[in-house]
Amino acid sequence: MGQLNSWEQEQYLTTKEFAKLKGKHESTIRRMIQSGKIVAVRIKNESGGGKDGFFYLIPFDSLTEKEKRKYLKNKRITLLPSTQVPEDARTPKRIDEYSQDERKVIQQWIDAIQDWQRYRTNYRGQLSDADEMWVKTNISKYKDINLSVPNLYRKWKALRENDYDGLIDKRGKWAKGISKIPDVMWELFKYYYLDEARHPITQCYNLVKWYLEKEMPELLPELPAYDSFYRAVKTIPFAVVKLFREGNKAFEDQASPYITRMYEELEVNEVWVADAHTFDVMTIEIGTEKVHRLTVVAFADVRSRLIVGWHITNNTSSEAVLMALRKGIKEFGIPKYIYVDNGTEFLCFDIGGRGHRSRKKDEGDHIPPGVFARLGIKMWNAQVRNAKAKVIERIFREFKENFSRLVLGFCGGNPLEKPEKLKKILKTRKGMILDSSFKDAFGTYIKGMYNETPSNGLGMYGRCPIEVYEQELVEKRVAKADDLNLMLMRSTRMQKVGRKGVYIEICGEKLYYWTPEFVFNYSGRKEVYVRYDPDDLSEVRVYNEHDEYMCNLPVDRAQLPYGASKEDVKAAIHETRKVKKLAKEYMENSLIDKLSKFSDMDIMLWKARKNIEERQNKKVPEAKVLKVVRANEPISSDIEKKQEVEIDLQRMIQNSIRNVM
């Protein structure tokens, strides 16, 4: 038998190495091999060395797991922690767990080993010669497997242990999961690599090398090559890389398991989902001739994927949300739940409520019931910063691919999608679509194309959205036109009645609503809120803090533009003076005219005189004991001495006259 090739030599131990591993003498190991107690490959020594002219190699795979680890430890080869499986925890794989090609290889080795064993049984002579003879004879028969004497020994051992893994070609795979990177270096590398700074592998390798130079110079010679770290990086779990290198959001979006919604368990009109989408199309605004991008607010039924309502606008707003909802409800009924994201256009206090955007300063204040509450709709909010797309997000992608790309003026969602011809189109504006034409085309696309296109999504079974809606519809919640208009009205916050009644704010401007009777009765002393129809601002409905209807108020006609006619001004003044007239009428109806009249000063002085008179007529009670208190001031000793001195008044007068002269 000739020399082993390089890859076979890497998987074998010499008798000297094996003896050291077992703690026995090498001659003992040779005798155990010759007696068949140890599986080994006998190689003819071309130089004629050895007692019997042969040397022996023990296959690495024939070692126990404990012996393998001991051998690798002596060789300074480290097993990665994630790949270390205790020997008693290993369970043989079933044959059906292998691929078709692997099962074919396994069966060929089983047939070859059985054939080889039958040949050995009938052979007369040295079994090693029989093995070599059989291999030479059958190498062409079993050409799809790597037939050799060493492989026969190894596969025979694997077959006896029911280890089908051992029957598969392991060339280049025997050291899979075994790393030559010492633990301390690998931990250092992971520390630098698994960081949101996202250092490249080369930089992490250099950082490890520099750290060793500074702190552990004795380990620097053992630092493996860059390629070892490059290969080892691939063994780091994908979820770990996403979490530590890219952050929690990337982990949640790309690595975290998600819940698959069972659409078939939903009913049609049970859940609607809403969102806003800015078209990747440049259009021309009518009037200003500006080039801009329009936005659509759309509602879709989750069960059928049907677009039930939409509204195209320049900017996303709560008004656009209400317009789209109104359109969907009028045609398809009222849903039970609406699933929206956390945009301010949806979390509006008078539509679905503020959700997590509620303000502390509003706590304790009466919040008027919103549109969803009046319709009996419960709002669900998506998780903040959640990139797991809702149904309508996927629908928006269809809008982009099947509608927006067809429009001249398509600008793409990012610079890579931007067509080269767009610059020329924007410059000349030739063929660009107007806003009105775009809105009409989109409405036609929704009704005649999107809602009519078959889908193979979950629960669709090749049906188009409108078919699923019509076939699966069980209950449709509807309301009369008047009730629906009332429930779809918007609301203001609580406000005090002012001199000009109540107001609503539209686009930063206040519109006032009042009547003379309403201002007279409630001005300054009543808190109310207003409901109004955005399509008809001619009047509003007023409610108190108990949500009780009070009255309807017309818009303030006294809001006159500059240049109003004399008749308009005269009519407006007449309205404002009605409150004064009511106040006068209130006093005219008083009984004061039937009574004697006194001024306010007369009344006050009358009461003062009466109080004085009552006080004088009262008898003051005398005290039972009178105590006399005398002035008993102490006199200074200096004053007493001066009083004892005789004063010459005549002399003092003369001195005074002299000073005057």
Side-chain angles (χ1 to χ4, degrees):
M1 183 174 180
Q3 294 290 330
L4 296 175
N5 57 40
S6 59
W7 72 266
E8 287 177 323
Q9 291 176 358
E10 291 178 358
Q11 301 181 77
Y12 287 84
L13 283 72
T14 64
T15 52
K16 185 176 181 180
E17 290 176 329
F18 190 71
K20 183 178 180 181
L21 184 66
K22 299 291 288 184
K24 299 180 181 296
H25 197 275
E26 185 179 358
S27 59
T28 304
I29 299 300
R30 293 176 65 88
R31 285 196 300 271
M32 294 175 69
I33 293 173
Q34 292 171 356
S35 63
K37 294 181 180 180
I38 298 176
V39 177
V41 179
R42 189 175 67 165
I43 308 296
K44 186 174 180 59
N45 195 338
E46 301 295 342
S47 61
K51 294 183 178 180
D52 54 359
F54 293 91
F55 64 90
Y56 301 92
L57 296 176
I58 295 89
F60 179 83
D61 284 348
S62 67
L63 273 60
T64 64
E65 288 297 321
K66 185 177 181 180
E67 292 171 345
K68 288 179 180 179
R69 295 186 181 282
K70 185 177 180 181
Y71 173 75
L72 294 174
K73 185 177 180 181
N74 293 337
K75 288 286 187 180
R76 293 186 178 181
I77 299 176
T78 306
L79 293 177
L80 287 175
S82 59
T83 62
Q84 293 179 353
V85 181
E87 185 176 357
D88 55 355
R90 295 179 182 271
T91 55
K93 293 169 63 175
R94 301 190 308 271
I95 189 67
D96 57 354
E97 296 182 39
Y98 295 91
S99 66
Q100 181 177 358
D101 292 338
E102 289 175 335
R103 290 197 299 270
K104 182 178 179 181
V105 172
I106 291 172
Q107 188 58 49
Q108 285 183 337
W109 272 115
I110 292 174
D111 294 341
I113 291 171
Q114 290 176 349
D115 190 8
W116 168 53
Q117 289 297 316
R118 286 193 296 268
Y119 180 81
R120 283 183 116 220
T121 303
N122 299 324
Y123 187 79
R124 300 295 182 223
Q126 288 285 341
L127 293 179
S128 58
D129 296 337
D131 298 339
E132 294 178 8
M133 183 63 69
W134 184 87
V135 168
K136 291 179 181 179
T137 305
N138 294 276
I139 195 168
S140 59
K141 180 180 179 181
Y142 299 102
K143 59 183 178 180
D144 294 333
I145 57 178
N146 186 20
L147 200 60
S148 66
V149 174
N151 280 351
L152 276 176
Y153 291 151
R154 188 165 56 252
K155 306 300 183 183
W156 184 29
K157 179 179 180 295
L159 184 60
R160 293 198 307 269
E161 297 175 354
N162 292 322
D163 179 16
Y164 294 121
D165 278 341
L167 298 179
I168 302 173
D169 191 355
K170 293 290 185 177
R171 283 184 294 181
K173 300 179 181 179
W174 71 276
K176 186 177 181 180
I178 297 177
S179 173
K180 294 182 180 180
I181 305 175
D183 289 343
V184 64
M185 300 180 190
W186 179 239
E187 292 301 325
L188 279 171
F189 181 86
K190 289 192 296 182
Y191 173 78
Y192 295 120
Y193 182 75
L194 299 176
D195 187 271
E196 291 189 13
R198 302 187 192 181
H199 299 300
I201 300 176
T202 305
Q203 180 69 8
C204 295
Y205 178 78
N206 290 332
L207 290 170
V208 172
K209 181 170 66 173
W210 298 335
Y211 181 92
L212 294 177
E213 288 180 3
K214 181 178 182 299
E215 300 292 336
M216 302 177 182
E218 68 279 3
L219 295 181
L220 193 59
E222 299 181 19
L223 179 66
Y226 164 82
D227 291 342
S228 298
F229 289 91
Y230 180 83
R231 290 190 297 267
V233 164
K234 299 178 181 179
T235 66
I236 301 176
F238 176 77
V240 174
V241 174
K242 285 295 175 183
L243 178 60
F244 290 98
R245 278 182 68 87
E246 301 184 27
N248 187 68
K249 187 176 186 301
F251 170 80
E252 292 291 341
D253 295 346
Q254 303 177 40
S256 176
Y258 61 91
I259 300 173
T260 302
R261 301 185 184 275
M262 302 302 294
Y263 295 103
E264 292 179 278
E265 296 181 2
L266 293 176
E267 296 180 1
V268 167
N269 266 5
E270 182 177 3
V271 181
W272 286 5
V273 59
D275 206 348
H277 168 68
T278 300
F279 291 104
D280 296 327
V281 176
M282 306 300 292
T283 60
I284 299 177
E285 185 177 16
I286 300 176
T288 64
E289 303 301 321
K290 292 182 179 179
V291 176
H292 65 157
R293 295 167 64 183
L294 293 171
T295 298
V296 62
V297 177
F299 284 80
D301 177 59
V302 174
R303 174 64 185 91
S304 63
R305 302 354 178 242
L306 181 74
I307 296 296
V308 293
W310 69 92
H311 181 74
I312 298 178
T313 179
N314 291 346
N315 298 298
T316 306
S317 64
S318 55
E319 296 292 343
V321 173
L322 202 58
M323 294 290 186
L325 179 63
R326 184 189 295 264
K327 184 175 182 179
I329 287 177
K330 284 184 176 180
E331 184 172 358
F332 296 99
I334 305 171
K336 296 179 181 178
Y337 304 93
I338 287 183
Y339 184 58
V340 297
D341 62 17
N342 294 275
T344 55
E345 65 272 18
F346 298 107
L347 297 187
C348 187
F349 81 96
D350 67 326
I351 294 182
R354 294 288 292 169
H356 76 281
R357 295 182 181 270
S358 299
R359 300 176 296 185
K360 289 187 177 181
K361 68 178 184 180
D362 293 334
E363 293 180 0
D365 295 344
H366 177 72
I367 304 297
V371 174
F372 288 179
R374 295 196 294 269
L375 291 168
I377 299 173
K378 185 176 180 181
M379 181 177 69
W380 291 341
N381 294 109
Q383 183 180 351
V384 179
R385 298 184 67 195
N386 180 21
K388 300 179 178 70
K390 301 184 290 290
V391 173
I392 201 164
E393 297 283 1
R394 295 189 287 272
I395 293 174
F396 288 158
R397 286 199 292 270
E398 293 188 32
F399 289 176
K400 175 180 179 178
E401 299 299 327
N402 301 327
F403 177 76
S404 297
R405 287 186 182 275
L406 304 180
V407 181
L408 187 66
F410 174 75
C411 59
N414 56 64
L416 297 178
E417 293 181 340
K418 183 178 179 180
E420 292 185 6
K421 63 180 180 180
L422 180 64
K423 185 176 181 180
K424 183 178 180 181
I425 293 173
L426 294 177
K427 184 177 181 180
T428 62
R429 298 192 179 185
K430 184 178 180 180
M432 287 189 66
I433 191 169
L434 298 175
D435 286 355
S436 57
S437 300
F438 182 86
K439 293 177 181 179
D440 292 341
F442 183 75
T444 304
Y445 162 76
I446 290 295
K447 289 186 175 181
M449 183 57 64
Y450 172 80
N451 285 345
E452 296 288 346
T453 301
S455 171
N456 291 317
L458 291 173
M460 300 296 286
Y461 302 109
R463 297 174 293 177
C464 60
I466 191 64
E467 288 178 342
V468 177
Y469 183 89
E470 294 172 349
Q471 295 173 11
E472 302 290 341
L473 181 62
V474 176
E475 178 185 52
K476 185 176 181 179
R477 301 169 65 221
V478 297
K480 294 181 180 179
D482 294 340
D483 293 334
L484 186 60
N485 288 334
L486 178 60
M487 289 187 288
L488 286 172
M489 282 186 171
R490 299 208 60 176
S491 302
T492 65
R493 294 185 181 273
M494 299 297 294
Q495 57 179 284
K496 280 189 177 182
V497 179
R499 294 171 58 188
K500 298 194 69 174
V502 295
Y503 67 89
I504 62 175
E505 193 167 344
I506 303 293
C507 299
E509 298 292 334
K510 289 183 178 180
L511 289 178
Y512 289 90
Y513 296 81
W514 65 288
T515 61
E517 295 79 9
F518 180 78
V519 172
F520 176 74
N521 290 320
Y522 301 112
S523 178
R525 64 183 183 90
K526 191 72 174 178
E527 284 200 351
V528 300
Y529 71 89
V530 175
R531 290 184 187 173
Y532 62 95
D533 183 352
D535 292 335
D536 183 9
L537 299 177
S538 61
E539 67 174 8
V540 297
R541 295 170 64 90
V542 183
Y543 294 78
N544 62 18
E545 66 273 17
H546 303 296
D547 302 322
E548 297 171 342
Y549 169 73
M550 295 174 61
C551 63
N552 278 33
L553 294 179
V555 69
D556 180 16
R557 301 298 181 185
Q559 299 179 113
L560 298 175
Y562 289 103
S565 66
K566 182 178 179 180
E567 289 73 17
D568 293 336
V569 175
K570 185 176 180 180
I573 293 175
H574 178 71
E575 289 295 322
T576 59
R577 288 179 176 176
K578 281 186 178 180
V579 177
K580 185 176 181 180
K581 182 180 179 181
L582 288 172
K584 287 182 177 181
E585 290 176 355
Y586 179 83
M587 291 302 295
E588 289 172 358
N589 294 331
S590 175
L591 296 175
I592 190 67
D593 292 335
K594 300 178 182 180
L595 303 176
S596 300
K597 296 183 178 179
F598 297 93
S599 68
D600 47 4
M601 179 62 74
D602 292 338
I603 291 295
M604 186 274 292
L605 292 177
W606 172 83
K607 180 62 177 175
R609 294 188 189 102
K610 184 178 179 180
N611 290 340
I612 293 172
E613 183 181 351
E614 289 177 352
R615 179 61 57 187
Q616 290 175 346
N617 293 333
K618 287 184 179 180
K619 184 179 179 180
V620 179
E622 295 182 357
K624 296 180 179 180
V625 178
L626 295 177
K627 184 178 179 180
V628 179
V629 180
R630 297 182 182 275
N632 188 19
E633 295 178 329
I635 299 175
S636 174
S637 59
D638 295 336
I639 296 177
E640 292 178 352
K641 291 179 180 180
K642 289 180 180 179
Q643 289 178 352
E644 295 177 356
V645 178
E646 184 178 354
I647 301 175
D648 188 355
L649 294 178
Q650 187 64 30
R651 186 178 178 180
M652 292 178 64
I653 293 172
Q654 292 176 356
N655 292 335
S656 174
I657 294 172
R658 189 183 298 110
N659 291 335
V660 173
M661 296 299 290

